[in-house]
Every structure is written in C-alpha cells, then in structure tokens.
Amino acid sequence: EITFVDPAADEAPLCPGGEDRPVSWPDVEEFLGLLTSAWLGEGVRLQCNYFARALGQVVPLKKLDLFTTTELLELVCGAAVDWNAEDLEQCVVPGDGYTRDSEPYLWLLEVLGSLLEAPQRAAFLQFVTARPRLPSGGLHALPCPIRVQEPGSGGSASTQHDIDGRLPTAHTCSLTLDLPSYSSKAILEQRLAAALALMAEY
C-alpha cells in the first residue's frame, strides 16, 4: 500500500503523480533513489546553499579545504568525549567538603575512568556541563575544571542511609557536581547511573 510519496514530509509526491502510483517490487530501487534524493539531495539543497552562503560571510570557503572532514566536525561540533586518568585528575577537582584524598571523590574518578562507552561519557559530560561534546582540546579546554563538592547532609537528623538514597545533582553554569558522601563506590556508581538515566528522560 506504499505509493511514491515522502512519508516524512506529509506524503509529498516524490515524482509527478506519485501519490497515485503504488510501489511494486520492481519499483523499489527507483522509490528508494527518489527518497534518498529528497532526504539527502534536492530536499536539503536549499538549506545547504543558504548555510554555505552564511558560512562564506565568516570565512572564505576555499580556506576550508585545508581541513579534513573530521577536523571540521571537531571545530564546529566539538570533539568526541574521551579522557584518561590523568585528564580526570587535572580537570575534575575536589570542591567544598572534599579533598584529593576523600573517598567519594576518588571513587568518582574511578567510576568515570571505567566508562568505556562514548555515550556514557557523553551523558556524564552533558549532565555536568550541558554539552554532549567536548571543545577542541578535550577536558582541558573547558572554561574551568569540573568541581566536585559535598552538598551537605541535609540536616543533623540525616543518616548515612538517607545520604545513600540521594542522587547527585549538577550546576551546569559553574560546572559543579554535588556528590553526596556515599558509603561505597558501588552506591555512588548506582546513584550516578540513575541520575544520568533520569536526565535522558527529559
């Protein structure tokens, strides 16, 4: 029951009379070619032309030939989120309530160092900085180090059980992470994962 229309553009015909022309098996290749052209070719040519004209007002387009596609993507969109233990020690620093020897702070560095998948690292970065990619230069190119602070117990009646039940929170404007003083690395890892999952829902 498919016809020669673009399902993503309010059933716009892909060819003259496309809305009345059913796609049969021999037509599949032609249909996919027209759809590809609509999505990646003619369908976006006007937007690409205007983008190129605007970019050309900032930098001569011929100068961009000096860069590879990967280099341009990094300059415009930022670098993929990558770090090592040394980067984390230098760019994720203790703040109020924590020192370099505080267990929750050290556990956090260990947990962040164990995040091997790029989407996990990107999720943490977005949680703390509101950006899913790093500027060119990595963590060191952030406007300031990410500061990890202890948010306080929440009152004298708070128990360790209460603290262990809290989620970390972040202040993206100041690149600050409020990290409760959890009783174990496992709980810290669970609560951080829950905070990142909650962020992903919104």
Side-chain angles (χ1 to χ4, degrees):
E1 299 179 1
I2 298 174
T3 57
F4 275 76
V5 296
D6 185 347
D10 297 324
E11 306 293 319
L14 295 171
C15 60
E19 66 274 15
D20 299 320
R21 181 183 170 193
V23 177
S24 60
W25 185 249
D27 300 326
V28 169
E29 191 171 340
E30 180 187 357
F31 172 75
L32 292 177
L34 290 169
L35 195 59
T36 300
S37 177
W39 287 1
L40 306 175
E42 291 301 323
V44 293
R45 188 175 304 282
L46 186 62
Q47 295 95 314
C48 289
N49 287 343
Y50 278 113
F51 177 79
R53 285 174 55 189
L55 184 60
Q57 293 176 1
V58 179
V59 60
L61 296 182
K62 276 294 184 187
K63 301 289 186 187
L64 298 181
D65 291 341
L66 297 170
F67 299 98
T68 65
T69 302
T70 303
E71 289 170 333
L72 279 174
L73 284 173
E74 184 171 322
L75 287 170
V76 175
C77 303
V81 183
D82 195 16
W83 53 56
N84 56 37
E86 186 179 345
D87 294 332
L88 291 172
E89 287 178 13
Q90 293 175 3
C91 302
V92 181
V93 300
D96 295 342
Y98 288 133
T99 68
R100 290 274 180 191
D101 299 320
S102 299
E103 283 190 319
Y105 168 74
L106 294 173
W107 291 335
L108 176 68
L109 294 186
E110 291 175 15
V111 169
L112 294 179
S114 69
L115 297 179
L116 302 178
E117 300 294 326
Q120 294 174 312
R121 295 192 297 266
F124 174 77
L125 183 71
Q126 183 152 16
F127 181 64
V128 179
T129 70
R131 60 177 83 189
R133 295 175 69 89
L134 285 166
S136 183
L139 283 175
H140 297 273
L142 289 172
C144 63
I146 295 170
R147 199 160 48 93
V148 182
Q149 66 184 20
E150 204 279 311
S153 63
S156 57
S158 293
T159 64
Q160 186 63 55
H161 181 268
D162 296 329
I163 294 171
D164 284 348
R166 296 188 184 125
L167 294 179
T169 57
H171 308 274
T172 57
C173 292
S174 59
L175 275 61
T176 303
L177 176 67
D178 284 347
L179 186 73
S181 52
Y182 297 117
S183 59
S184 73
K185 176 183 169 183
I187 290 175
L188 184 153
E189 192 166 13
Q190 292 168 6
R191 297 297 177 261
L192 181 61
L196 299 184
L198 189 62
M199 175 194 69
E201 294 179 8
Y202 294 96

